[in-house]
Amino acid sequence: MKKLKIKTGDTVRVTAGDHKGQEGKVQLVLMDKNKAIVEGVNMVSKHEKPSASNPQGGIKKKEAPIHISNLSLIDKNGDTTRVGYRTENDKKVRFSKKSNEVI
């Protein structure tokens, strides 16, 4: 399985699709599907049937997964960047390829 360079908690920007330019924090990464759920991006309407716990029912908004290839990491300067790996003090760390800083 391929290692994904975007992790939970990273701030990302959408680079392609209907939501291009939107930013948010990664809430969940789905490794098997190569997708991520980003806070406030790719919102869909979910119709909920009335039940005992939710007697009102209705239409709820929730985030849908978006493909990893459509996301770009935002570094400390607010620029989008690619992610690389290197070893420092015998530890593998992620770094920004644009600014060469450790993430």
Side-chain angles (χ1 to χ4, degrees), residues 1-7 29 31 34 68 83-85 92-94:
M1 185 181 293
K2 188 175 180 180
K3 184 173 175 92
L4 302 178
K5 296 185 177 183
I6 292 179
K7 308 286 183 199
V29 176
M31 294 283 288
N34 286 342
I68 292 286
V83 178
Y85 287 93
K92 190 174 180 181
V93 294
R94 294 190 308 159

Side-chain angles (χ1 to χ4, degrees), residues 1-25:
M1 185 181 293
K2 188 175 180 180
K3 184 173 175 92
L4 302 178
K5 296 185 177 183
I6 292 179
K7 308 286 183 199
T8 303
D10 287 345
T11 304
V12 295
R13 182 177 293 147
V14 180
T15 58
D18 292 338
H19 306 284
K20 183 176 180 177
Q22 292 184 358
E23 298 177 7
K25 191 171 250 186

